[in-house]
Amino acid sequence: MLFMHAYWYGFLACTHRSGIPGIYRHLECLGRPTSVSCPGFTRYSRFAPCMVGSKGYKSVLDNDGDGHATAKEASQTISKSRLDLNGDGVITKEEIDSANPFAIMSKTNLYKELTRQTRLDVFDYRQWEQYRSSDTFFTHLGTFFGSRVIRSIWKECAFSLVIATLLCLYNSVILPFAARRGLFHGCMFHLPMLPWTIASSFLSLLLVFRTNASYQRWSEARAVWGSITNTVRDIGRQLSWRSPCRQSVPNALNRLAAFGWALQAHVGGPVITHNCNKQLVKLLGPKDLAVVQASEHKPMALLGLLTDSVDSLEQCPLRGQKLDMGITQLMDNLGKCERIFKTPIPRIYTKHTERFLGVWLATLPIGLYDVLKAPWAMLPPMLLLSVFLLGISELANQIEEPFSILPLDAMCNGIQKSIVEDYHNSQDNFHGQDQPMGDLSDGRSFVAQVLRNRNEPLRHAREAN
């Protein structure tokens, strides 16, 4: 009994002192009174993960401790990290893949956030062909120990292995030695495997639901940005090919292209905001830039400027109404992005799942001890189980906030290039600027003109008869 108390005390104490995020952090809260309140959920950026400590959430990039991580602080943190092999202040994908274990151990949270940048996949046919290759299976097996997910959960896996080692050491070495010397007579810690077998079914359901819920969030975010891409291109097409006032079209298209960058900054962090602001400076004029920078909600400000452009460019109410419907669609997509970004999966579900998994893994050596003939042979299975189960939980954590792992830079650049190309095509083929189109200030007169043109041959035929 004394060893059992020491076992759990050491379990909780080690997790607290080592600052292990996620699973074992939640185990420390077991048994606390329900009146203790948790700080609000905050995710600063793809480069600024949060950890729970005695003083609340703290970003790994927040050097001065003011609760806000800036782009300058991010650059300083990266330059001081051992992950930056050449010391240029930029950590590339090659440096992440070749990082040594000691560098990962010293900056695990920074490593986890930086590895998210390597998952911004934009496929073409060549990559799909390589992805379908018959060598993919063996390639993935060959990179098992270089997996960024496995490297990111080294603390949790090492802790599970230490627990199993201590149990084997106590049952196989300490207890027989103490009995021979007459020091004390203790009991071995071993139980039938049945409780863990029964619990594994419920644990698998929780993990599957958690992973599916996270993937649905990622899938919805990708669908929303796909809708943004299509809507922006459609609005740009109508402005480029139909607007008679050619001098004002480029300004409207710049406002339209800037919306994607502003939205990316809105759901990003300090580094992303810094990079997106550079794009806004290139696209917007001084007056528009001052309006956007002075606004707390920059995407909303750009939609307002875009509405002003549509009202000044399009004189036909029918066409103006169609363009306004596109702007409304962008507003709706903006709200969807904010909902996904600001609302995580209910934390009570995540906490309970991680506590369940943590307790199940921590006590599993007690059930495995009698299953294998050689007690020390349970260490490799414990390590593998920890890697795969904790890896599943880590996958859910990684994709729960999807905007950090979506290739938004590539999407915004693609939107901007397609708008510019379509505008140049319209400039080369535009023939309506010197041709009067009649009075388009009123939609009814436009319809009446179309009907008159259709009925003109009938009128001439009647006069001839």
Side-chain angles (χ1 to χ4, degrees):
M1 183 62 68
L2 179 63
F3 179 78
M4 180 60 75
H5 282 84
Y7 175 86
W8 282 108
Y9 180 78
F11 172 75
L12 296 177
C14 290
T15 55
H16 175 70
R17 293 173 183 173
S18 61
I20 298 177
I23 245 182
Y24 301 114
R25 182 184 66 213
H26 297 313
L27 283 171
E28 188 186 3
C29 300
L30 287 172
R32 287 188 177 181
T34 56
S35 59
V36 177
S37 60
C38 297
F41 180 84
T42 306
R43 188 177 294 276
Y44 293 100
S45 74
R46 65 184 71 177
F47 290 97
C50 303
M51 281 190 60
V52 176
S54 58
K55 296 182 180 180
Y57 287 91
K58 184 180 185 301
S59 169
V60 296
L61 302 181
D62 185 14
N63 293 332
D64 54 10
D66 61 351
H68 301 282
T70 62
K72 183 178 180 180
E73 290 176 333
S75 178
Q76 293 174 352
T77 303
I78 292 174
S79 61
K80 294 178 182 178
S81 171
R82 297 171 64 180
L83 297 172
D84 186 13
L85 300 181
N86 55 10
D88 60 351
V90 179
I91 300 178
T92 63
K93 180 180 178 180
E94 290 73 18
E95 289 176 327
I96 291 176
D97 292 336
S98 59
N100 61 73
F102 297 103
I104 298 175
M105 291 178 184
S106 62
K107 291 290 185 180
T108 304
N109 291 311
L110 180 62
Y111 175 81
K112 290 176 65 174
E113 291 300 306
L114 291 175
T115 55
R116 296 174 68 85
Q117 303 309 296
T118 64
R119 301 187 176 99
L120 308 178
D121 298 322
V122 180
F123 271 32
D124 54 17
Y125 182 80
R126 182 184 61 84
Q127 289 171 310
W128 277 115
E129 188 178 17
Q130 182 181 0
Y131 190 75
R132 293 190 295 263
S133 173
S134 59
D135 299 329
T136 303
F137 175 77
F138 300 100
T139 302
H140 291 169
L141 284 181
T143 57
F144 179 84
F145 295 102
S147 170
R148 303 182 189 101
V149 174
I150 296 177
R151 289 183 174 188
S152 299
I153 58 174
W154 71 268
K155 288 184 180 181
E156 293 92 328
C157 295
F159 184 79
S160 300
L161 190 61
V162 167
I163 292 295
T165 303
L166 290 177
L167 183 67
C168 289
L169 186 65
Y170 174 79
N171 285 346
S172 302
V173 179
I174 297 178
L175 200 60
F177 177 80
R180 287 195 303 267
R181 294 297 182 91
L183 299 178
F184 64 89
H185 296 279
C187 60
M188 295 178 60
F189 288 97
H190 62 101
L191 289 172
M193 192 62 190
L194 182 61
W196 289 269
T197 303
I198 296 175
S200 62
S201 301
F202 302 101
L203 178 61
S204 62
L205 289 176
L206 291 175
L207 288 176
V208 167
F209 179 83
R210 172 98 166 85
T211 307
N212 287 345
S214 297
Y215 176 76
Q216 288 175 1
R217 291 168 57 85
W218 181 91
S219 179
E220 183 181 3
R222 181 61 186 90
V224 169
W225 269 90
S227 176
I228 291 173
T229 302
N230 297 337
T231 305
V232 168
R233 287 174 176 172
D234 184 61
I235 295 176
R237 173 188 62 83
Q238 296 182 64
L239 292 175
S240 297
W241 290 89
R242 289 179 174 174
S243 298
C245 185
R246 308 302 296 171
Q247 294 79 10
S248 302
V249 172
N251 184 44
L253 295 180
N254 286 334
R255 291 174 175 179
L256 184 62
F259 172 77
W261 296 106
L263 180 56
Q264 183 184 359
H266 190 63
V267 294
V271 177
I272 301 304
T273 302
H274 179 71
N275 296 335
C276 292
N277 285 338
K278 292 182 179 179
Q279 299 294 331
L280 295 179
V281 171
K282 295 178 182 179
L283 290 171
L284 301 177
K287 183 180 290 186
D288 289 350
L289 186 62
V291 173
V292 173
Q293 288 182 341
S295 303
E296 183 176 354
H297 203 297
K298 293 177 174 55
M300 186 81 174
L302 277 168
L303 290 181
L305 294 174
L306 185 59
T307 303
D308 179 70
S309 296
V310 170
D311 290 342
S312 61
L313 284 174
E314 193 54 68
Q315 299 176 354
C316 175
L318 295 178
R319 294 176 181 174
Q321 184 179 6
K322 189 175 187 305
L323 287 171
D324 192 67
M325 290 174 61
I327 298 176
T328 302
Q329 180 65 33
L330 291 179
M331 182 70 72
D332 185 46
N333 291 327
L334 168 61
K336 292 178 180 178
C337 289
E338 289 181 333
R339 171 175 54 82
I340 296 173
F341 183 72
K342 295 183 178 181
T343 309
I345 296 174
R347 298 183 65 200
I348 185 173
Y349 182 89
T350 302
K351 288 181 178 181
H352 186 73
T353 303
E354 294 185 341
R355 287 167 182 163
F356 192 171
L357 178 57
V359 172
W360 192 87
L361 282 175
T363 58
L364 184 60
I366 300 176
L368 286 178
Y369 188 82
D370 289 337
V371 174
L372 303 175
K373 294 182 179 180
W376 293 96
M378 75 172 176
L379 296 183
M382 271 298 304
L383 181 59
L384 287 177
L385 284 172
S386 300
V387 166
F388 291 120
L389 291 178
L390 292 170
I392 293 174
S393 180
E394 178 65 17
L395 290 177
N397 291 332
Q398 288 290 326
I399 64 177
E400 182 180 358
E401 191 274 285
F403 300 107
S404 302
I405 56 176
L406 284 174
L408 299 186
D409 283 345
M411 293 183 191
C412 292
N413 283 320
I415 291 173
Q416 186 172 338
K417 290 180 181 179
S418 61
I419 289 177
V420 172
E421 182 181 17
D422 192 55
Y423 173 71
H424 289 314
N425 291 337
S426 69
Q427 285 288 92
D428 297 336
N429 299 279
F430 191 81
H431 302 292
Q433 51 193 4
D434 297 326
Q435 299 177 4
M437 300 181 65
D439 183 16
L440 303 182
S441 60
D442 189 278
R444 291 174 296 180
S445 62
F446 172 73
V447 174
Q449 180 181 353
V450 173
L451 294 176
R452 284 196 302 269
N453 293 335
R454 291 180 60 184
N455 295 329
E456 193 71 17
L458 294 177
R459 186 174 62 83
H460 287 299
R462 290 173 181 173
E463 292 178 354
N465 292 332

